[in-house]
DNA sequence: TTGACATGTGACCATTCGGTCACCTATTCT
DNA sequence: AGAATAGGTGACCGAATGGTCACATGTCAA
């Protein structure tokens, strides 16, 4: 499985996005601390953190028996660079014009 | 289900990302044209296009019995703005420093 | 050194998801 | 009108995913 696939799959789950949000509010939290915030058992939180770590969205550091979790925004930046670069290199402007045109012609007919 | 959840779930599948890539190469393709490029039955492609359309990543326009599919980069831009804004507003620099520090201290110990 | 605490593993179950198919409707062309 | 073409629906199945638990390891502190 490719790296970006891991990142996209990790971001696909709302609980994992909530974990990233929690780490953004207060970075370096332990598993037990994150569990207390999320209405889920420790095991569920642990699985999610594992996927986030595999995707490189979370970096960890051990401190004794604790494991501290830190946000890593780099993969998100890389995704952005991939998609937005593709869509903007000579195409995004035309597409945005097209979208506006579609919405003007057929206001509510596109689902 | 929230809008951004639809977008993240739509982006989570490699076939759907490939569809976006195909539409980027040539925009406005029909279902049948996309099917021919993707080693999958028409029904599988149709399901994926449906999810992309529900997420707002693809916009469609009918022309007779054909349905033309167009890329819409706006949701991807919105995701970028959400995450990167959060991570950069006073935090990203510190996090990147931290990451560099972690990788210097413990080169291969974080999985 | 004993007990409490923080994290980890493997199995397990219910639900979701990817993909296919039989069958159907709508449009075009002759 | 009738045949061919483009797209759509609902059911179905195997695989992957989310979540929980019993149990185990490693660490701190009295």
């Amino acid at each position: 499985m490719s790296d970006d696939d891991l990142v996209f799959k990790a971001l696909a789950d709302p609980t994992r996005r909530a974990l990233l949000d929690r780490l953004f509010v207060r970075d370096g939290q332990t598993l037990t601390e994150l569990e207390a915030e999320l209405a889920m058992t420790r095991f569920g939180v642990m699985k999610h953190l594992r996927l986030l770590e595999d995707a490189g969205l979370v970096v960890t550091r051990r401190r004794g028996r604790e494991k501290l979790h830190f946000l890593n925004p780099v993969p998100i930046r890389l995704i952005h660079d991939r998609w937005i670069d593709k869509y903007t290199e000579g195409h995004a402007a035309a597409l945005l014009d097209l979208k506006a045109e579609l919405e003007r012609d057929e206001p509510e007919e596109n689902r």
Side-chain angles (χ1 to χ4, degrees), chain A:
Chain A
M1 184 182 279
S2 64
D3 283 3
D4 67 276
D5 201 29
L6 289 178
V7 174
F8 281 116
K9 282 201 161 53
L11 290 175
D13 183 89
T15 300
R16 287 193 286 272
R17 294 198 297 276
L19 280 169
L20 294 180
D21 291 339
R22 296 301 187 287
L23 287 180
F24 174 73
V25 172
R26 188 161 68 83
D27 214 10
Q29 295 190 64
T30 66
L31 167 61
T32 307
E33 286 169 339
L34 291 168
E35 169 203 356
E37 301 184 47
L38 278 196
M40 184 184 302
T41 64
R42 179 171 57 89
F43 309 96
V45 176
M46 190 160 36
K47 278 198 175 182
H48 286 301
L49 286 173
R50 165 70 181 259
L51 293 187
L52 288 170
E53 194 177 351
D54 287 349
L57 287 161
V58 161
V59 183
T60 62
R61 154 178 274 177
R62 304 209 65 102
R63 186 178 63 190
R65 59 183 165 183
E66 293 177 325
K67 186 176 183 180
L68 308 182
H69 299 78
F70 301 90
L71 258 177
N72 180 22
V74 174
I76 295 174
R77 283 194 166 276
L78 293 179
I79 288 176
H80 159 259
D81 292 345
R82 164 186 174 180
W83 289 100
I84 298 300
D85 277 347
K86 288 178 102 175
Y87 292 155
T88 49
E89 279 169 11
H91 290 258
L95 286 172
L96 287 168
D97 289 349
L98 169 63
K99 178 171 184 295
E101 179 193 352
L102 288 173
E103 289 171 348
R104 188 172 355 96
D105 292 356
E106 307 157 286
E108 287 300 330
E109 293 174 17
N110 293 300
R111 297 197 35 82

